[in-house]
Amino acid sequence: MPNKLLAPAPDELEISVFGPGYGESILIHAGRGVWLAIDSCIDPVTKRSAPLTYLEKLGVDPKTSVDLVVATHWHTDHVRGIYELFTAASSAKFSCASALTRADFLS
C-alpha cells in the first residue's frame, strides 16, 4: 500500500524541513495549494529529491503546485535533487543568488 500523507488544508501554512543535517531542503505550503521549495537534498530512502518525494506522498502535482524553486548555494547536499525537482515543477520560477549567475561561477 502506498505511503500517502494528508496534504495541508488550503488555509494552512506548512513548513517541512528535510535533510540529514539542519535543513538541506525546505518546502513551504503558503496556502491555497501554492508550494515554494528552497534547495533540494536527496531522500536517503528513495535516492530522489526529498521535497519531490514528499509532494508525491501528499498527492500534490508539482507541475501545477510549485510556484518557486530557490537554490541558496551550490553545495551538493543542498542541490543534488534540484534538477529533478525543477524538471517536475515545470511551471515554477527558479531563483538563486546573483553570484551563481556570474561567468566565473558558471565556468
Side-chain angles (χ1 to χ4, degrees):
M1 179 156 102
N3 185 9
K4 187 164 181 184
L5 303 172
L6 293 176
D11 63 345
E12 190 173 25
L13 172 69
E14 177 183 285
I15 301 172
S16 303
V17 181
F18 307 95
Y22 299 101
E24 286 79 12
S25 186
I26 299 169
L27 188 61
I28 301 168
H29 177 255
R32 294 193 274 287
V34 174
W35 293 85
L36 314 169
I38 302 169
D39 295 336
S40 181
C41 64
I42 296 293
D43 181 295
V45 175
T46 65
K47 306 295 185 215
R48 298 182 57 228
S49 164
L52 183 57
T53 299
Y54 182 69
L55 290 170
E56 289 171 350
K57 286 181 181 179
L58 293 177
V60 172
D61 181 3
K63 181 178 182 176
T64 58
S65 299
V66 177
D67 279 8
L68 179 66
V69 176
V70 177
T72 60
H73 61 286
W74 222 255
H75 287 168
T76 304
D77 59 335
H78 287 258
V79 295
R80 252 182 82 204
I82 210 145
Y83 174 78
E84 180 184 22
L85 174 61
F86 190 60
T87 300
S90 58
S91 298
K93 294 179 182 140
F94 181 78
S95 180
C96 63
S98 62
L100 298 179
T101 63
R102 294 193 182 136
D104 54 340
F105 172 80
L106 295 173
S107 67

